[in-house]
Amino acid sequence: MVDVLRRHNVTVGGCGHKALVLGHGFGTDQRVWRRIRPWAERHFLTISFDAAGCGDGTGYDGFRHGSLAGFAEDLLAILDAFGIESCAYVGHEAGAMAGVLAGILAPRRFERMVLLAPSACGVDRDRYRSGIDAVTMRRMIACMTLNYPAWSREFAALAADAPPSSPETAEVAACLGAMRPDVAFRLAAVAFQSDLRGWIDDFEVPAVLVHGEDDPLVPPEAARHLHALWPFAERETLAVSGHLPHLTAPELVVGVLAKHLKDVARA
C-alpha cells in the first residue's frame, strides 16, 4: 500500500464514507483539481493522485505505460491500496479514458463517472475528427523534442485558451515543467495516438460526458461519437472555451458534480 501511495503522491482529504477519486489528464498533475477539491471534500472522502510520469515522475515504466491500459491498472491499484470497493470517479481527458478502461475491467468498483473532455481517439482517423490531425500531431511532438520549454508554454496557452501571461496558462506550464521532457514526450504519444474505438463499446458504468462548447482538442463530433457508443450516458455541454474547464470554469464543473453525484454522496 505504501509503495502505491508514494509512487502516485496520493493526497486524501475530506469526509464521508463515499470515495471520490480525481484523475487528471495529459499536461497536468493533481494540482489542477485545487479549485474543485473544496466542494469535493465537503461531500466525499476525496482522493487525488499524480499519474505515472507526472508530478515528480515516480512510478513511470515505459513498457507498462506505453498505453492507457497501464494507467487504468494504476487506478485500480490505488483503489486496492485503500480497500475501496466502490467509488465515484472524475477524470479529465486521458485520465477520463483510463477510467473508462478501468471501468471495463472492474465495473463494480465505480458507481458513477464524470468524464471531462473525453475522446475515444487522439487524432483524426478515417472519418473520426478529434481536433488534431496527424500532421499537426507530428509537428507538435517534433516541437517537444526541439524546444520543450517553448512548446510547454504554447501548449499551456492552447489548453487553457488563455494568454501566455495568464495565471491559468502559468499553472499548466508549471505542471508541464515539472515533468521530465523525455517522459512528457512519451506520454504525449500515448495520449494523442491512443485509439480506443472498438475497445470501449462494453463500458457499462453510469457516466456523464462533459464537454466545452469550444474545446480545441475535443470537438463536438468527438463528443457525439462517445454518446453514440454509450446512449445511456448523460451529456453536459459547458459554455466555456479551452480544454480545462475544471481549471478555467470550476464553478460550472462543480455545478455538474453537485447535480450528478449528490445521490452517490447520500447513498
Side-chain angles (χ1 to χ4, degrees):
M1 172 178 175
V2 174
D3 287 344
V4 171
L5 303 187
R6 184 182 297 117
R7 280 199 304 270
H8 296 286
N9 191 26
V10 174
T11 302
V12 183
C15 59
H17 64 285
K18 288 290 185 179
L20 175 64
V21 182
L22 306 173
H24 65 84
F26 171 74
T28 59
D29 54 44
Q30 65 178 297
R31 289 176 288 178
V32 78
W33 299 113
R34 65 183 182 84
R35 293 174 173 85
I36 305 298
R37 287 194 75 102
W39 176 87
E41 292 181 353
R42 287 196 298 271
H43 301 279
F44 293 92
L45 176 69
T46 303
I47 299 170
S48 62
F49 61 95
D50 292 332
C54 302
D56 62 10
T58 58
Y60 177 77
D61 179 277
F63 180 78
R64 175 184 175 87
H65 299 109
S67 75
L68 289 178
F71 296 91
E73 293 170 359
D74 289 344
L75 172 57
L76 294 175
I78 291 170
L79 298 185
D80 288 341
F82 283 101
I84 295 173
E85 296 183 359
S86 180
C87 71
Y89 180 74
V90 178
H92 172 245
E93 193 215 46
M97 300 313 296
V100 169
L101 292 178
I104 291 173
L105 291 171
R108 295 183 180 180
R109 307 294 292 273
F110 302 95
E111 288 190 47
R112 185 164 302 161
M113 290 188 179
V114 178
L115 307 176
L116 307 178
S119 180
C121 188
V123 296
D124 295 350
R125 296 180 189 271
D126 305 321
R127 297 181 180 179
Y128 183 92
R129 181 168 176 263
S130 74
I132 298 180
D133 58 45
V135 173
T136 300
M137 183 196 68
R138 287 194 292 269
R139 288 176 179 169
M140 179 187 73
I141 292 179
C143 289
M144 292 180 72
T145 61
L146 293 172
N147 190 336
Y148 182 73
W151 174 85
S152 297
R153 293 189 294 270
E154 292 178 5
F155 183 81
L158 171 69
D161 191 34
S165 59
S166 72
E168 293 81 9
T169 297
E171 192 164 341
V172 179
C175 292
L176 288 165
M179 299 169 65
R180 279 174 37 193
D182 62 315
V183 173
F185 172 87
R186 295 172 186 172
L187 293 180
V190 170
F192 293 109
Q193 293 182 3
S194 292
D195 185 355
L196 299 182
R197 296 173 302 164
W199 292 88
I200 56 177
D201 297 9
D202 296 329
F203 182 60
E204 298 178 352
V205 176
V208 184
L209 309 179
V210 184
H211 292 90
E213 287 182 343
D214 188 16
D215 185 332
L217 300 179
V218 186
E221 293 91 334
R224 289 194 290 268
H225 178 88
L226 277 185
H227 196 236
L229 290 180
W230 312 324
F232 60 84
E234 299 182 74
R235 289 185 64 186
E236 294 279 358
T237 302
L238 305 181
V240 296
S241 59
H243 189 56
L244 299 156
H246 47 312
L247 176 64
T248 58
E251 69 286 352
L252 297 182
V253 174
V254 165
V256 170
L257 299 181
K259 175 182 176 181
H260 292 282
L261 296 182
K262 61 182 180 181
D263 57 331
V264 177
R266 293 172 182 169

